[in-house]
């Protein structure tokens, strides 16, 4: 995963933002393609995410990066669990593209 010390280097925030936009766009594309209904809690998650980000940013750069590390670690674990579940159910072919996207994220975050 990422760590706070590495994340404080110049340009890292821009790089992370650019990666997040690509990731978001790909996931949105897959949601539409597979006709996945977004959670009804999405508006709540958006407010919570903004509040968490803004709140930690007010505490300073180190707090914001510590929060980012915690969120990234949680996403990494969630994707890892989802990959295992798809494989355990023998649905690798059905979810091939989704697996490829999640594996790229997990490998990129673990590197």
């Amino acid at each position: 995963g990422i760590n706070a010390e590495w994340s404080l280097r110049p340009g890292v925030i821009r790089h992370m933002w650019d990666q997040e936009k690509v990731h978001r766009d790909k996931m949105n594309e897959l949601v539409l393609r597979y006709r996945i209904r977004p959670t009804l809690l999405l508006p709540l998650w958006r407010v919570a995410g903004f509040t968490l980000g803004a709140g930690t940013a007010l505490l300073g750069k180190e707090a914001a990066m510590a929060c980012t590390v915690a969120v990234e670690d949680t996403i990494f674990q969630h994707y890892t669990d989802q990959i295992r579940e798809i494989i355990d159910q023998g649905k690798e072919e059905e979810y091939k593209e989704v697996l490829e996207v999640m594996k790229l994220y997990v490998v990129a975050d673990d590197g």
Side-chain angles (χ1 to χ4, degrees), residues 47-105:
V47 170
F50 176 82
T51 303
L52 181 63
T56 56
L58 291 173
L59 296 174
K61 194 184 315 185
E62 289 81 9
M65 292 316 304
C67 177
T68 300
V69 169
V71 169
E72 292 292 323
D73 286 347
T74 301
I75 293 168
F76 174 86
Q77 187 59 52
H78 173 70
Y79 278 11
T80 300
D81 292 345
Q82 292 297 302
I83 291 167
R84 286 187 186 125
E85 185 70 25
I86 290 169
I87 292 170
D88 288 349
Q89 291 181 10
K91 295 185 176 185
E92 296 96 330
E93 196 56 41
E94 182 178 350
Y95 294 105
K96 183 177 181 178
E97 188 173 9
V98 174
L99 280 171
E100 289 172 5
V101 171
M102 286 192 296
K103 285 179 181 179
L104 283 173
Y105 186 81

Side-chain angles (χ1 to χ4, degrees), residues 5-21:
E5 182 179 317
W6 176 84
S7 301
L8 295 175
R9 294 188 318 200
V12 171
I13 299 297
R14 170 57 55 192
H15 176 72
M16 289 169 62
W17 175 246
D18 291 343
Q19 282 184 320
E20 289 301 317
K21 289 190 296 186

Side-chain angles (χ1 to χ4, degrees), residues 37-52:
R37 187 187 71 181
T39 177
L40 294 175
L41 298 176
L42 188 56
L44 176 65
W45 283 113
R46 286 187 173 144
V47 170
F50 176 82
T51 303
L52 181 63

